[in-house]
Amino acid sequence: MPLDHSLPFLPVRIAILTVSDTRSPAEDRSGDTLVQRLEAAGHVLADRTIIRDDIDLICATLNGWIDDPAIDCIISTGGTGVTGRDVTPEAFARVRDKEIEGFGELFRWLSYQSIGTSTIQSRATAAVARGTYLFALPGSTGACRDGWDGILASQLDNRHRPCNFVELMPRLKER
């Protein structure tokens, strides 16, 4: 889809959350992938952390960032699978106001082109919570590339036409 280059680019302030019981900052290639892509696009890395697969800890981190006026968007990586420890979608459900249902569907469609039916194991999801966008991607670098390149790069660019998430940001808290 086209970009309207007559509009000035508006950077989005994005926090990156890696959910993992095993990764350290030195091993967080998925988080690194997202940071590299968002910065290359001209966005601002507002914060970044790694936390374990614990629903209360994930919710506390999300809530802290949602309430931070310096953060417009949170992208998580990890914890979207089907094992007992994968609870990122459940944490998103606890904090969200509205689910963005098409995000998970579109992510799995894009991912299917890369990994086939294995994409069915992903519970990628997105939501809006108190005026902040939340996007949950699987923990693999390939999934982060698919999610960023195939969806987020354009939807987080205010110049994307015919519409994008950024142009809606001023209205997310409307009642």
Side-chain angles (χ1 to χ4, degrees):
M1 301 275 45
L3 293 180
D4 181 349
H5 290 287
S6 70
L7 298 172
F9 176 76
L10 300 175
V12 177
R13 298 166 300 193
I14 303 171
I16 301 296
L17 174 62
T18 299
V19 178
S20 174
D21 287 335
T22 59
R23 291 189 188 162
S24 70
E27 300 159 334
D28 185 18
R29 292 187 7 227
S30 296
D32 291 342
T33 296
L34 291 169
V35 169
Q36 291 163 358
R37 278 171 159 67
L38 75 87
E39 289 179 338
H43 298 296
V44 176
L45 177 63
D47 205 347
R48 181 179 178 182
T49 194
I50 300 172
I51 59 174
R52 68 185 184 283
D53 292 274
D54 176 279
I55 194 165
D56 293 327
L57 183 57
I58 297 167
C59 288
T61 302
L62 291 173
N63 280 318
W65 282 349
I66 291 164
D67 292 335
D68 185 339
I71 296 174
D72 302 314
C73 174
I74 301 165
I75 305 173
S76 71
T77 175
T80 63
V82 297
T83 71
R85 299 282 302 153
D86 292 321
V87 294
T88 302
E90 288 78 10
F92 273 45
R94 282 191 188 177
V95 304
R96 75 177 179 227
D97 296 322
K98 293 183 178 185
E99 184 176 13
I100 304 172
E101 296 176 9
F103 180 84
E105 296 162 359
L106 179 55
F107 173 81
R108 282 180 286 281
W109 178 79
L110 291 167
S111 179
Y112 179 80
Q113 297 171 48
S114 300
I115 63 170
T117 59
S118 295
T119 193
I120 199 72
Q121 295 180 28
S122 165
R123 296 184 304 137
T125 190
V128 177
R130 300 187 306 276
T132 301
Y133 284 115
L134 311 174
F135 302 99
L137 297 171
S140 73
T141 56
C144 289
R145 282 191 303 270
D146 287 346
W148 181 269
D149 298 348
I151 306 171
L152 296 175
S154 59
Q155 282 299 298
L156 294 178
D157 189 328
N158 65 292
R159 302 167 300 171
H160 178 76
R161 294 293 166 248
C163 58
N164 59 77
F165 285 136
V166 179
E167 64 192 5
L168 300 175
M169 289 170 72
R171 299 178 50 211
L172 291 178
K173 292 183 179 182
E174 287 180 344
R175 295 280 173 221

